[in-house]
Amino acid sequence: MAEVLELNSSEFEEDRYSRLRLIPWWEQDRLKNACIMVVGAGAIGNELIKNLTLLGIGRILIIDMDKIEHTNLTRSVLYRAHDVGRYKAEVAAERASEMNPDVKAKAFISNIIDDIGLGVFRRMDAVLGGLDNREARLAINQSCYKVNKPFIDGAIEALNGFARVFTPPEGACYECTMTELDWKLINKRKSCALLTHEQMAEGKIPTTPTSSAVIAGVQVQELLKLLHADRGLPTLAGKCYVFNGLTHDSYVVEYQRKPDCMSHDTYENIEEKPWSARSITLGQLLSEVKAEMGENAVIDFDRDIVTRAHCSCSENKEIFMPLHKLRGQDIVCPICGKTMNFDTVHSITGTEDFLDKTPFEIGIPLLHIISGRVGYEMRYFEFTSDFDEVFEGL
Ligand SMILES: [Zn+2]
Ligand SMILES: [Zn+2]
């Protein structure tokens, strides 16, 4: 017996990952070298981060802007009572590093819709969603398609849930799966411009640690298969795993790709530029783009930027932020209390009166990708100098 044990220990070097390596197609190095974004550090996010950490995923970016509340403690394995009041993303990143020192996790106290540049998405192996709202899913879906990265989404309600995988540029995307009701709910949210962020949060959804464990487990298993894509394993690409927690039935549905879907845009040939969204001015940026593409070039952003708020009472002020970020206090006129009107831009042509501002100052995130356009010709330029700041510690 002793002989056998000795033989085992000398023949197979046992480390933390030895039992995982027993899976025939498994390559631990692929997990170690992977860089994964987890959006949302709530019920599903906790389970996603836990699984990724146990498995030894090398780098995890955790995006969440909320703080821990007492009600989170029933569904969040990473949080303790004394964490209440701290940022979810920060605590989750700390706990991940504690659980597995091989893992580097970084917290981003950020809104996924506005604050994470496309260059960040571009450096991911996959984006995992643990979200409770359609608008954020739609934004992630568009970003993933632009830079050609898989989006593995999860959703739960009470004991039920589903997990689905979108792999650009082929197959159905999240937007392809959206129904008229989904759009109605998104538009309703958008029209509620007078509500605060907290009020705008969609109706609270009942969630459990049990259904989130099932769904996040499926999501991470899908990730493992995508990381071993050359091994011929079946995946949920373009499909949805539906879990009925009352009967414990489950089934898979296949989504249809909609040919007229607006989210299938993929950026070809992203060019890395030694520019920082924090320091280059819009005027300098336009000169650089003109130098690349000619005097008629303009810059396009992928979002509407508010430049000015004005009111019928003659109140008129500069305001620079993505339209989506406007909140109650920005919308009401401070003088007369009426709803303000807003000027927006999504291109820079050279005639603007704010060319001395930086892209960051008007709401373009670090490491983002902008478009240069002349007629129908488009080129895509990345603020690559922001890399070190965004990926510091990873
Ligand atoms: Zn689509
Ligand atoms: Zn007014």
Side-chain angles (χ1 to χ4, degrees), residues 311-315 333 335-338 340:
C311 179
S312 52
C313 80
S314 85
E315 166 70 352
C333 173
I335 310 294
C336 74
K338 277 190 235 159
M340 308 273 281

Side-chain angles (χ1 to χ4, degrees), residues 275 282-299 348-352 355 370 372-374 379 381:
W275 309 334
L282 292 166
Q284 290 165 340
L285 184 63
L286 185 61
S287 305
E288 294 277 2
V289 171
K290 283 177 187 289
E292 294 277 351
M293 301 183 71
E295 264 313 298
N296 295 326
V298 299
I299 297 167
I348 299 292
T349 61
T351 57
E352 294 74 14
L355 293 173
I370 52 137
R373 173 169 58 85
V374 182
R379 277 170 65 182
F381 304 109

Side-chain angles (χ1 to χ4, degrees), residues 173 176 261 264:
C173 78
C176 294
C261 173
H264 299 169

Side-chain angles (χ1 to χ4, degrees), residues 10-28:
S10 64
E11 282 213 334
F12 306 99
E13 205 182 315
E14 288 262 322
D15 68 9
R16 186 190 275 261
Y17 308 104
S18 302
R19 303 299 158 86
L20 300 174
R21 286 199 189 90
L22 296 176
I23 298 170
W25 45 266
W26 196 277
E27 257 190 68
Q28 187 63 36

Side-chain angles (χ1 to χ4, degrees), residues 271-327:
E271 298 174 49
E272 300 186 348
K273 290 291 176 188
W275 309 334
S276 165
R278 247 193 227 292
S279 59
I280 194 167
T281 65
L282 292 166
Q284 290 165 340
L285 184 63
L286 185 61
S287 305
E288 294 277 2
V289 171
K290 283 177 187 289
E292 294 277 351
M293 301 183 71
E295 264 313 298
N296 295 326
V298 299
I299 297 167
D300 281 344
F301 301 127
D302 58 352
R303 62 198 65 201
D304 287 318
I305 303 286
V306 178
T307 57
R308 190 164 281 282
H310 46 90
C311 179
S312 52
C313 80
S314 85
E315 166 70 352
N316 189 326
K317 60 176 180 184
E318 273 194 342
I319 174 171
F320 290 99
M321 64 167 77
L323 184 61
H324 166 264
K325 260 195 178 170
L326 283 179
R327 297 289 171 247

